[in-house]
Amino acid sequence: MRRILLIDADQQSIENLKREIDWSYYGFIIQDSVFKMADTLSIIKKNTYDLYLLNLRHLNTFGFELCRQIREKTSNPILLIEGGKNFEMVQRAISLQVNSYLPEPLNTEELIESLLNIKGVIEENKTKTITYTTKKPGSTQQNNASNIIEVVKDYVEQCIHENITLKDISNDLHYNSSYLGQKFKSQENMTFNQYLLNRRMEKTKFLLRYTDLKIYEIAYQVGYTDLDWFYKKFKEHTGLSASAYRYQFMIALS
């Protein structure tokens, strides 16, 4: 069972979230909940959880400070609930590598979808941890290769709005680009370009759903200056145009 820390400055809201779904059915348990902010930082520093669930509606901007504290301690998933579409908050969430961001009023189906996606992330992280800890002595080079791929992925998250290439990253990290490309494909089971495309498309979907940015603005946010190419890639990835994807989401909320 994956353990959740629920952080919400409103006690009634905590109780409502606990009753929102059958958490155990989806493989989660709300192990601890906290609404007194004086206790929150102590709990974060003392314990590590599989998932951190924060309701920003009652935490205000302090919630992002908590996210920063969590990120200093662990890369484990963070799920935010927020009172509405707010581009500045979405940008801050992205910068803190938040895994999911759900607007209020909370949609049960979206919550379940987010949990299932996060469950996959947790399992992937555990698999990587087992792989690292079970390597035989003398496999330092292989372990270092795994670590550098995580650095490459972090680089993508931070610079996704730029026109980045594996060669650019290789130069910055002082690695041979062919070597890095081979190691990336071996570890991630996809090429660097496929990974970069997937991350750009996921961020595009996120911005289409949770911001009011115009589509061309979103394209620039995810590193595309050629709009025709952006439209083509998004439709290939989702089967829908960007405008149709946003409209479908808005209909689902209504």
Side-chain angles (χ1 to χ4, degrees):
M1 202 68 70
R2 293 111 189 135
R3 299 166 298 111
I4 297 175
L5 173 62
L6 171 56
I7 305 171
D8 192 327
D10 182 87
Q11 181 65 55
Q12 185 57 52
S13 178
I14 287 176
E15 297 305 317
N16 291 341
L17 275 169
K18 287 181 177 180
R19 294 192 296 266
E20 183 73 26
I21 60 171
D22 181 356
W23 296 88
S24 62
Y25 180 80
Y26 299 100
F28 289 87
I29 181 173
I30 299 178
Q31 179 166 313
D32 293 311
S33 58
V34 57
F35 67 95
K36 293 182 179 179
M37 294 303 100
D39 299 333
T40 305
L41 289 176
S42 174
I43 291 175
I44 288 173
K45 291 177 180 178
K46 184 186 297 185
N47 304 311
T48 301
Y49 299 84
D50 297 303
L51 171 62
Y52 297 83
L53 173 57
L54 291 78
N55 190 342
L56 293 185
R57 180 179 181 184
H58 304 113
L59 295 172
N60 299 317
T61 56
F62 184 62
F64 286 103
E65 174 58 24
L66 294 178
C67 288
R68 189 184 68 78
Q69 295 278 348
I70 291 167
R71 275 290 164 260
E72 287 183 355
K73 177 182 176 65
T74 178
S75 62
N76 287 358
I78 299 174
L79 192 161
L80 299 183
I81 299 172
E82 200 273 321
K85 288 186 177 182
N86 184 312
F87 178 63
E88 182 180 351
M89 285 193 168
V90 171
Q91 286 288 75
R92 293 181 70 181
I94 291 171
S95 70
L96 289 165
Q97 299 179 18
V98 167
N99 298 76
S100 191
Y101 184 98
L102 301 176
E104 287 191 319
L106 190 61
N107 181 294
T108 301
E109 291 183 0
E110 285 191 357
L111 173 60
I112 292 171
E113 179 183 354
S114 292
L115 288 175
L116 294 177
N117 289 336
I118 287 170
K119 186 177 177 180
V121 171
I122 293 170
E123 292 307 310
E124 180 182 354
N125 289 343
K126 286 183 177 178
T127 300
K128 288 179 180 178
T129 300
I130 292 170
T131 301
Y132 296 157
T133 57
T134 57
K135 288 184 185 297
K136 296 178 180 179
S139 61
T140 305
Q141 184 176 359
Q142 186 176 2
N143 191 38
N144 288 341
S146 298
N147 290 338
I148 195 62
I149 298 309
E150 295 305 312
V151 173
V152 171
K153 290 163 68 176
D154 286 342
Y155 195 115
V156 168
E157 295 303 319
Q158 295 298 321
C159 303
I160 198 168
H161 59 286
E162 301 176 10
N163 182 24
I164 52 175
T165 66
L166 185 60
K167 183 173 178 58
D168 295 329
I169 298 174
S170 300
N171 290 339
D172 284 350
L173 299 178
H174 306 291
Y175 268 78
N176 178 276
S177 60
S178 296
Y179 167 82
L180 203 54
Q182 291 171 359
K183 290 300 180 185
F184 194 97
K185 186 173 183 179
S186 174
Q187 181 170 318
E188 299 299 320
N189 295 316
M190 67 179 75
T191 66
F192 170 80
N193 286 337
Q194 288 171 325
Y195 178 83
L196 178 60
L197 175 65
N198 288 344
R199 295 308 304 147
R200 282 176 164 159
M201 293 299 102
E202 289 305 307
K203 184 175 179 182
T204 297
K205 291 192 289 185
F206 184 89
L207 293 173
L208 285 169
R209 293 169 71 172
Y210 302 125
T211 76
D212 295 318
L213 285 173
K214 293 180 172 59
I215 292 174
Y216 75 86
E217 293 175 318
I218 293 175
Y220 295 148
Q221 285 281 333
V222 298
Y224 287 94
T225 54
D226 185 334
L227 293 182
D228 288 338
W229 185 248
F230 166 77
Y231 293 138
K232 177 182 178 181
K233 287 299 178 182
F234 187 83
K235 190 163 188 178
E236 286 178 355
H237 190 80
T238 65
L240 296 170
S241 67
S243 57
Y245 180 89
R246 171 174 271 171
Y247 179 74
Q248 184 182 73
F249 176 68
M250 297 305 296
I251 290 296
L253 287 182
S254 62

PDB file of all heavy atoms in Angstrom, residues 181-206:
ATOM      1  N   GLY A 181      23.436   9.093 -26.160  1.00  0.00           N
ATOM      2  CA  GLY A 181      22.226   8.659 -26.855  1.00  0.00           C
ATOM      3  C   GLY A 181      21.996   7.164 -26.713  1.00  0.00           C
ATOM      4  O   GLY A 181      20.866   6.705 -26.499  1.00  0.00           O
ATOM      5  N   GLN A 182      23.054   6.377 -26.833  1.00  0.00           N
ATOM      6  CA  GLN A 182      22.947   4.925 -26.694  1.00  0.00           C
ATOM      7  C   GLN A 182      22.535   4.537 -25.273  1.00  0.00           C
ATOM      8  O   GLN A 182      21.683   3.668 -25.075  1.00  0.00           O
ATOM      9  CB  GLN A 182      24.280   4.275 -27.051  1.00  0.00           C
ATOM     10  CG  GLN A 182      24.646   4.372 -28.524  1.00  0.00           C
ATOM     11  CD  GLN A 182      26.068   3.922 -28.805  1.00  0.00           C
ATOM     12  OE1 GLN A 182      26.804   3.541 -27.888  1.00  0.00           O
ATOM     13  NE2 GLN A 182      26.471   3.977 -30.066  1.00  0.00           N
ATOM     14  N   LYS A 183      23.166   5.204 -24.276  1.00  0.00           N
ATOM     15  CA  LYS A 183      22.841   4.911 -22.882  1.00  0.00           C
ATOM     16  C   LYS A 183      21.403   5.299 -22.559  1.00  0.00           C
ATOM     17  O   LYS A 183      20.708   4.602 -21.820  1.00  0.00           O
ATOM     18  CB  LYS A 183      23.804   5.650 -21.946  1.00  0.00           C
ATOM     19  CG  LYS A 183      25.226   5.111 -21.984  1.00  0.00           C
ATOM     20  CD  LYS A 183      25.271   3.646 -21.568  1.00  0.00           C
ATOM     21  CE  LYS A 183      26.677   3.091 -21.596  1.00  0.00           C
ATOM     22  NZ  LYS A 183      26.707   1.634 -21.295  1.00  0.00           N
ATOM     23  N   PHE A 184      20.963   6.421 -23.120  1.00  0.00           N
ATOM     24  CA  PHE A 184      19.587   6.871 -22.882  1.00  0.00           C
ATOM     25  C   PHE A 184      18.593   5.850 -23.433  1.00  0.00           C
ATOM     26  O   PHE A 184      17.638   5.463 -22.735  1.00  0.00           O
ATOM     27  CB  PHE A 184      19.356   8.242 -23.533  1.00  0.00           C
ATOM     28  CG  PHE A 184      18.093   8.916 -23.067  1.00  0.00           C
ATOM     29  CD1 PHE A 184      18.137   9.871 -22.062  1.00  0.00           C
ATOM     30  CD2 PHE A 184      16.860   8.594 -23.613  1.00  0.00           C
ATOM     31  CE1 PHE A 184      16.985  10.482 -21.606  1.00  0.00           C
ATOM     32  CE2 PHE A 184      15.696   9.199 -23.178  1.00  0.00           C
ATOM     33  CZ  PHE A 184      15.758  10.149 -22.166  1.00  0.00           C
ATOM     34  N   LYS A 185      18.815   5.407 -24.646  1.00  0.00           N
ATOM     35  CA  LYS A 185      17.893   4.439 -25.252  1.00  0.00           C
ATOM     36  C   LYS A 185      17.909   3.120 -24.505  1.00  0.00           C
ATOM     37  O   LYS A 185      16.867   2.480 -24.313  1.00  0.00           O
ATOM     38  CB  LYS A 185      18.255   4.221 -26.724  1.00  0.00           C
ATOM     39  CG  LYS A 185      17.249   3.342 -27.456  1.00  0.00           C
ATOM     40  CD  LYS A 185      17.530   3.279 -28.951  1.00  0.00           C
ATOM     41  CE  LYS A 185      16.463   2.447 -29.656  1.00  0.00           C
ATOM     42  NZ  LYS A 185      16.708   2.386 -31.116  1.00  0.00           N
ATOM     43  N   SER A 186      19.086   2.696 -24.039  1.00  0.00           N
ATOM     44  CA  SER A 186      19.209   1.440 -23.306  1.00  0.00           C
ATOM     45  C   SER A 186      18.432   1.490 -21.996  1.00  0.00           C
ATOM     46  O   SER A 186      17.758   0.528 -21.628  1.00  0.00           O
ATOM     47  CB  SER A 186      20.683   1.153 -23.032  1.00  0.00           C
ATOM     48  OG  SER A 186      20.833   0.011 -22.213  1.00  0.00           O
ATOM     49  N   GLN A 187      18.510   2.626 -21.295  1.00  0.00           N
ATOM     50  CA  GLN A 187      17.847   2.729 -19.985  1.00  0.00           C
ATOM     51  C   GLN A 187      16.366   3.040 -20.102  1.00  0.00           C
ATOM     52  O   GLN A 187      15.552   2.497 -19.348  1.00  0.00           O
ATOM     53  CB  GLN A 187      18.530   3.807 -19.133  1.00  0.00           C
ATOM     54  CG  GLN A 187      17.917   3.946 -17.739  1.00  0.00           C
ATOM     55  CD  GLN A 187      18.739   4.828 -16.837  1.00  0.00           C
ATOM     56  OE1 GLN A 187      19.967   4.745 -16.822  1.00  0.00           O
ATOM     57  NE2 GLN A 187      18.077   5.689 -16.081  1.00  0.00           N
ATOM     58  N   GLU A 188      15.984   3.907 -21.033  1.00  0.00           N
ATOM     59  CA  GLU A 188      14.602   4.384 -21.105  1.00  0.00           C
ATOM     60  C   GLU A 188      13.763   3.653 -22.149  1.00  0.00           C
ATOM     61  O   GLU A 188      12.552   3.887 -22.241  1.00  0.00           O
ATOM     62  CB  GLU A 188      14.587   5.889 -21.413  1.00  0.00           C
ATOM     63  CG  GLU A 188      15.274   6.748 -20.366  1.00  0.00           C
ATOM     64  CD  GLU A 188      14.621   6.640 -19.000  1.00  0.00           C
ATOM     65  OE1 GLU A 188      13.375   6.598 -18.946  1.00  0.00           O
ATOM     66  OE2 GLU A 188      15.353   6.578 -17.992  1.00  0.00           O
ATOM     67  N   ASN A 189      14.383   2.786 -22.932  1.00  0.00           N
ATOM     68  CA  ASN A 189      13.682   2.036 -23.986  1.00  0.00           C
ATOM     69  C   ASN A 189      13.039   2.957 -25.019  1.00  0.00           C
ATOM     70  O   ASN A 189      11.993   2.634 -25.607  1.00  0.00           O
ATOM     71  CB  ASN A 189      12.613   1.112 -23.379  1.00  0.00           C
ATOM     72  CG  ASN A 189      13.223   0.034 -22.524  1.00  0.00           C
ATOM     73  OD1 ASN A 189      14.213  -0.579 -22.904  1.00  0.00           O
ATOM     74  ND2 ASN A 189      12.645  -0.194 -21.359  1.00  0.00           N
ATOM     75  N   MET A 190      13.635   4.105 -25.222  1.00  0.00           N
ATOM     76  CA  MET A 190      13.206   5.038 -26.269  1.00  0.00           C
ATOM     77  C   MET A 190      14.370   5.984 -26.530  1.00  0.00           C
ATOM     78  O   MET A 190      15.273   6.121 -25.701  1.00  0.00           O
ATOM     79  CB  MET A 190      11.959   5.830 -25.853  1.00  0.00           C
ATOM     80  CG  MET A 190      12.186   6.809 -24.703  1.00  0.00           C
ATOM     81  SD  MET A 190      10.677   7.735 -24.257  1.00  0.00           S
ATOM     82  CE  MET A 190       9.786   6.455 -23.381  1.00  0.00           C
ATOM     83  N   THR A 191      14.361   6.616 -27.688  1.00  0.00           N
ATOM     84  CA  THR A 191      15.418   7.567 -27.989  1.00  0.00           C
ATOM     85  C   THR A 191      15.203   8.856 -27.202  1.00  0.00           C
ATOM     86  O   THR A 191      14.103   9.118 -26.688  1.00  0.00           O
ATOM     87  CB  THR A 191      15.448   7.909 -29.488  1.00  0.00           C
ATOM     88  OG1 THR A 191      14.239   8.621 -29.824  1.00  0.00           O
ATOM     89  CG2 THR A 191      15.561   6.654 -30.344  1.00  0.00           C
ATOM     90  N   PHE A 192      16.256   9.659 -27.128  1.00  0.00           N
ATOM     91  CA  PHE A 192      16.136  10.948 -26.447  1.00  0.00           C
ATOM     92  C   PHE A 192      15.067  11.803 -27.114  1.00  0.00           C
ATOM     93  O   PHE A 192      14.261  12.450 -26.436  1.00  0.00           O
ATOM     94  CB  PHE A 192      17.472  11.692 -26.473  1.00  0.00           C
ATOM     95  CG  PHE A 192      17.368  13.111 -26.001  1.00  0.00           C
ATOM     96  CD1 PHE A 192      17.324  13.417 -24.645  1.00  0.00           C
ATOM     97  CD2 PHE A 192      17.289  14.156 -26.922  1.00  0.00           C
ATOM     98  CE1 PHE A 192      17.204  14.722 -24.203  1.00  0.00           C
ATOM     99  CE2 PHE A 192      17.173  15.475 -26.495  1.00  0.00           C
ATOM    100  CZ  PHE A 192      17.130  15.757 -25.128  1.00  0.00           C
ATOM    101  N   ASN A 193      15.027  11.815 -28.449  1.00  0.00           N
ATOM    102  CA  ASN A 193      14.045  12.639 -29.155  1.00  0.00           C
ATOM    103  C   ASN A 193      12.621  12.182 -28.862  1.00  0.00           C
ATOM    104  O   ASN A 193      11.702  13.009 -28.756  1.00  0.00           O
ATOM    105  CB  ASN A 193      14.312  12.624 -30.659  1.00  0.00           C
ATOM    106  CG  ASN A 193      15.525  13.457 -31.024  1.00  0.00           C
ATOM    107  OD1 ASN A 193      15.918  14.353 -30.282  1.00  0.00           O
ATOM    108  ND2 ASN A 193      16.130  13.164 -32.172  1.00  0.00           N
ATOM    109  N   GLN A 194      12.413  10.882 -28.752  1.00  0.00           N
ATOM    110  CA  GLN A 194      11.082  10.376 -28.398  1.00  0.00           C
ATOM    111  C   GLN A 194      10.695  10.821 -26.984  1.00  0.00           C
ATOM    112  O   GLN A 194       9.551  11.221 -26.748  1.00  0.00           O
ATOM    113  CB  GLN A 194      11.071   8.847 -28.485  1.00  0.00           C
ATOM    114  CG  GLN A 194      11.112   8.306 -29.904  1.00  0.00           C
ATOM    115  CD  GLN A 194      11.326   6.802 -29.947  1.00  0.00           C
ATOM    116  OE1 GLN A 194      12.049   6.236 -29.110  1.00  0.00           O
ATOM    117  NE2 GLN A 194      10.725   6.137 -30.912  1.00  0.00           N
ATOM    118  N   TYR A 195      11.661  10.755 -26.076  1.00  0.00           N
ATOM    119  CA  TYR A 195      11.408  11.185 -24.697  1.00  0.00           C
ATOM    120  C   TYR A 195      11.070  12.671 -24.646  1.00  0.00           C
ATOM    121  O   TYR A 195      10.119  13.090 -23.977  1.00  0.00           O
ATOM    122  CB  TYR A 195      12.619  10.886 -23.825  1.00  0.00           C
ATOM    123  CG  TYR A 195      12.464  11.339 -22.399  1.00  0.00           C
ATOM    124  CD1 TYR A 195      11.784  10.554 -21.469  1.00  0.00           C
ATOM    125  CD2 TYR A 195      12.980  12.573 -21.973  1.00  0.00           C
ATOM    126  CE1 TYR A 195      11.620  10.971 -20.152  1.00  0.00           C
ATOM    127  CE2 TYR A 195      12.813  12.997 -20.662  1.00  0.00           C
ATOM    128  CZ  TYR A 195      12.140  12.192 -19.762  1.00  0.00           C
ATOM    129  OH  TYR A 195      11.973  12.619 -18.468  1.00  0.00           O
ATOM    130  N   LEU A 196      11.865  13.485 -25.348  1.00  0.00           N
ATOM    131  CA  LEU A 196      11.638  14.925 -25.365  1.00  0.00           C
ATOM    132  C   LEU A 196      10.260  15.247 -25.942  1.00  0.00           C
ATOM    133  O   LEU A 196       9.530  16.089 -25.397  1.00  0.00           O
ATOM    134  CB  LEU A 196      12.728  15.604 -26.199  1.00  0.00           C
ATOM    135  CG  LEU A 196      12.624  17.123 -26.369  1.00  0.00           C
ATOM    136  CD1 LEU A 196      12.681  17.831 -25.016  1.00  0.00           C
ATOM    137  CD2 LEU A 196      13.739  17.633 -27.287  1.00  0.00           C
ATOM    138  N   LEU A 197       9.887  14.556 -27.013  1.00  0.00           N
ATOM    139  CA  LEU A 197       8.560  14.763 -27.598  1.00  0.00           C
ATOM    140  C   LEU A 197       7.461  14.410 -26.599  1.00  0.00           C
ATOM    141  O   LEU A 197       6.491  15.161 -26.433  1.00  0.00           O
ATOM    142  CB  LEU A 197       8.407  13.917 -28.872  1.00  0.00           C
ATOM    143  CG  LEU A 197       7.014  13.944 -29.514  1.00  0.00           C
ATOM    144  CD1 LEU A 197       6.679  15.338 -30.026  1.00  0.00           C
ATOM    145  CD2 LEU A 197       6.929  12.924 -30.657  1.00  0.00           C
ATOM    146  N   ASN A 198       7.611  13.271 -25.922  1.00  0.00           N
ATOM    147  CA  ASN A 198       6.596  12.857 -24.937  1.00  0.00           C
ATOM    148  C   ASN A 198       6.447  13.887 -23.826  1.00  0.00           C
ATOM    149  O   ASN A 198       5.330  14.219 -23.424  1.00  0.00           O
ATOM    150  CB  ASN A 198       6.977  11.499 -24.333  1.00  0.00           C
ATOM    151  CG  ASN A 198       6.793  10.358 -25.307  1.00  0.00           C
ATOM    152  OD1 ASN A 198       6.123  10.509 -26.330  1.00  0.00           O
ATOM    153  ND2 ASN A 198       7.379   9.218 -25.007  1.00  0.00           N
ATOM    154  N   ARG A 199       7.564  14.397 -23.312  1.00  0.00           N
ATOM    155  CA  ARG A 199       7.499  15.377 -22.235  1.00  0.00           C
ATOM    156  C   ARG A 199       6.868  16.674 -22.724  1.00  0.00           C
ATOM    157  O   ARG A 199       6.079  17.300 -22.000  1.00  0.00           O
ATOM    158  CB  ARG A 199       8.910  15.664 -21.681  1.00  0.00           C
ATOM    159  CG  ARG A 199       9.574  14.489 -20.998  1.00  0.00           C
ATOM    160  CD  ARG A 199       8.679  13.875 -19.925  1.00  0.00           C
ATOM    161  NE  ARG A 199       8.284  14.868 -18.941  1.00  0.00           N
ATOM    162  CZ  ARG A 199       7.107  14.859 -18.323  1.00  0.00           C
ATOM    163  NH1 ARG A 199       6.213  13.930 -18.597  1.00  0.00           N
ATOM    164  NH2 ARG A 199       6.827  15.788 -17.427  1.00  0.00           N
ATOM    165  N   ARG A 200       7.175  17.079 -23.948  1.00  0.00           N
ATOM    166  CA  ARG A 200       6.566  18.301 -24.490  1.00  0.00           C
ATOM    167  C   ARG A 200       5.066  18.136 -24.684  1.00  0.00           C
ATOM    168  O   ARG A 200       4.274  19.049 -24.401  1.00  0.00           O
ATOM    169  CB  ARG A 200       7.239  18.667 -25.819  1.00  0.00           C
ATOM    170  CG  ARG A 200       8.587  19.332 -25.625  1.00  0.00           C
ATOM    171  CD  ARG A 200       9.297  19.618 -26.920  1.00  0.00           C
ATOM    172  NE  ARG A 200      10.386  20.571 -26.703  1.00  0.00           N
ATOM    173  CZ  ARG A 200      11.416  20.731 -27.506  1.00  0.00           C
ATOM    174  NH1 ARG A 200      11.517  19.975 -28.601  1.00  0.00           N
ATOM    175  NH2 ARG A 200      12.352  21.619 -27.235  1.00  0.00           N
ATOM    176  N   MET A 201       4.651  16.965 -25.141  1.00  0.00           N
ATOM    177  CA  MET A 201       3.229  16.733 -25.343  1.00  0.00           C
ATOM    178  C   MET A 201       2.473  16.651 -24.012  1.00  0.00           C
ATOM    179  O   MET A 201       1.346  17.137 -23.884  1.00  0.00           O
ATOM    180  CB  MET A 201       3.021  15.444 -26.151  1.00  0.00           C
ATOM    181  CG  MET A 201       3.511  15.520 -27.586  1.00  0.00           C
ATOM    182  SD  MET A 201       2.691  16.788 -28.604  1.00  0.00           S
ATOM    183  CE  MET A 201       3.937  18.092 -28.618  1.00  0.00           C
ATOM    184  N   GLU A 202       3.089  16.053 -22.995  1.00  0.00           N
ATOM    185  CA  GLU A 202       2.445  15.979 -21.681  1.00  0.00           C
ATOM    186  C   GLU A 202       2.299  17.371 -21.076  1.00  0.00           C
ATOM    187  O   GLU A 202       1.278  17.698 -20.472  1.00  0.00           O
ATOM    188  CB  GLU A 202       3.247  15.072 -20.742  1.00  0.00           C
ATOM    189  CG  GLU A 202       3.160  13.600 -21.094  1.00  0.00           C
ATOM    190  CD  GLU A 202       1.721  13.102 -21.176  1.00  0.00           C
ATOM    191  OE1 GLU A 202       0.971  13.314 -20.204  1.00  0.00           O
ATOM    192  OE2 GLU A 202       1.352  12.533 -22.217  1.00  0.00           O
ATOM    193  N   LYS A 203       3.326  18.201 -21.238  1.00  0.00           N
ATOM    194  CA  LYS A 203       3.231  19.569 -20.720  1.00  0.00           C
ATOM    195  C   LYS A 203       2.195  20.359 -21.506  1.00  0.00           C
ATOM    196  O   LYS A 203       1.453  21.170 -20.935  1.00  0.00           O
ATOM    197  CB  LYS A 203       4.596  20.262 -20.792  1.00  0.00           C
ATOM    198  CG  LYS A 203       4.568  21.657 -20.184  1.00  0.00           C
ATOM    199  CD  LYS A 203       5.934  22.310 -20.147  1.00  0.00           C
ATOM    200  CE  LYS A 203       5.848  23.721 -19.557  1.00  0.00           C
ATOM    201  NZ  LYS A 203       7.160  24.404 -19.548  1.00  0.00           N
ATOM    202  N   THR A 204       2.116  20.128 -22.814  1.00  0.00           N
ATOM    203  CA  THR A 204       1.103  20.793 -23.634  1.00  0.00           C
ATOM    204  C   THR A 204      -0.296  20.446 -23.137  1.00  0.00           C
ATOM    205  O   THR A 204      -1.150  21.334 -22.966  1.00  0.00           O
ATOM    206  CB  THR A 204       1.251  20.379 -25.108  1.00  0.00           C
ATOM    207  OG1 THR A 204       2.514  20.816 -25.602  1.00  0.00           O
ATOM    208  CG2 THR A 204       0.147  20.995 -25.957  1.00  0.00           C
ATOM    209  N   LYS A 205      -0.555  19.170 -22.889  1.00  0.00           N
ATOM    210  CA  LYS A 205      -1.871  18.753 -22.397  1.00  0.00           C
ATOM    211  C   LYS A 205      -2.174  19.395 -21.052  1.00  0.00           C
ATOM    212  O   LYS A 205      -3.298  19.827 -20.791  1.00  0.00           O
ATOM    213  CB  LYS A 205      -1.935  17.224 -22.310  1.00  0.00           C
ATOM    214  CG  LYS A 205      -1.930  16.541 -23.677  1.00  0.00           C
ATOM    215  CD  LYS A 205      -2.284  15.066 -23.588  1.00  0.00           C
ATOM    216  CE  LYS A 205      -1.192  14.256 -22.965  1.00  0.00           C
ATOM    217  NZ  LYS A 205      -1.494  12.797 -22.975  1.00  0.00           N
ATOM    218  N   PHE A 206      -1.164  19.455 -20.203  1.00  0.00           N
ATOM    219  CA  PHE A 206      -1.315  20.072 -18.881  1.00  0.00           C
ATOM    220  C   PHE A 206      -1.730  21.539 -19.028  1.00  0.00           C
ATOM    221  O   PHE A 206      -2.679  22.008 -18.372  1.00  0.00           O
ATOM    222  CB  PHE A 206       0.019  19.953 -18.142  1.00  0.00           C
ATOM    223  CG  PHE A 206       0.011  20.444 -16.729  1.00  0.00           C
ATOM    224  CD1 PHE A 206      -0.310  19.590 -15.686  1.00  0.00           C
ATOM    225  CD2 PHE A 206       0.332  21.757 -16.423  1.00  0.00           C
ATOM    226  CE1 PHE A 206      -0.305  20.036 -14.370  1.00  0.00           C
ATOM    227  CE2 PHE A 206       0.348  22.215 -15.123  1.00  0.00           C
ATOM    228  CZ  PHE A 206       0.024  21.346 -14.092  1.00  0.00           C
TER     229      PHE A 206
END
